[in-house]
Amino acid sequence: DKLSQVFGAVNPVASSHFNFTSPEPTGVVVVVCPGSPPLAGMVGAIAPAIAAGNAVVAIAAEPAPLPALSLAEILATSDVPGGVVNLLTGSHAELAPHAASHMDVNAIVDAGGDAEVSKVLQMGAADNLKRVTRRDLEPRDWLGGRARDPYAMLDTLEMKTAWHPVGT
């Protein structure tokens, strides 16, 4: 509930208007999770999108999908509403074209680290102009401060600007 105070602004304008910029969630975000570390990487990749108010479709780490299933059990008993986090397991190379070309997906966060999958995501997203962001972190960085960067939320936020006339 503090996103607009932190990332929003009142913009100076040279007319008799107020100009406000406020962040709004993008909508449905696909997150391609890193393979190492599987659980910490997945949480570090999906948490900014959830905190920004988006619904997430997370593609679990291909070599180690079991931590994602453990996370699903935790989320099922948590206060996170049902449907906010949706988990897929399987080959990133097979799931990426479908995620990139799906018209109901609004943004993609690629934290998987695979150059071929990234290329497929970018090419598929170009057809329907969805935002693709890469989070290239080393496995040790997913356990440290770089994975907890609050500005990672900006990757899944849209800035909306509104003009209001000044009443006289």
Side-chain angles (χ1 to χ4, degrees):
D1 63 343
K2 305 293 186 259
L3 281 176
S4 60
Q5 287 83 6
V6 175
F7 296 124
V10 177
N11 307 315
V13 293
S15 64
S16 60
H17 292 86
F18 288 117
N19 182 287
F20 300 100
T21 300
S22 61
E24 292 186 4
T26 301
V28 177
V29 177
V30 169
V31 178
V32 180
C33 298
S36 177
L39 184 59
M42 175 178 249
V43 171
I46 67 173
I50 296 170
N54 297 294
V56 173
V57 177
I59 302 175
E62 191 172 338
L66 289 179
L69 300 177
S70 297
L71 180 64
E73 291 177 8
I74 293 168
L75 291 172
T77 59
S78 72
D79 290 337
V80 177
V84 170
V85 179
N86 304 282
L87 299 173
L88 295 175
T89 59
S91 169
H92 288 183
E94 289 179 15
L95 294 171
H98 299 289
S101 64
H102 199 288
M103 295 303 290
D104 289 331
V105 172
N106 303 104
I108 299 172
V109 176
D110 180 16
D114 186 350
E116 289 299 317
V117 170
S118 295
K119 185 177 178 181
V120 169
L121 288 171
Q122 291 172 1
M123 289 176 55
D127 291 337
N128 52 21
L129 301 176
K130 67 178 50 114
R131 181 184 306 179
V132 178
T133 305
R134 289 188 66 180
R135 290 199 67 200
D136 292 327
L137 296 178
E138 295 293 322
R140 67 179 178 279
D141 292 336
W142 285 107
L143 303 172
R146 287 188 61 203
R148 293 187 291 263
D149 181 14
Y151 292 100
M153 284 191 287
L154 292 175
D155 297 337
T156 59
L157 287 173
E158 293 181 355
M159 297 299 174
K160 303 287 182 164
T161 302
W163 290 76
H164 295 285
V166 175
T168 54

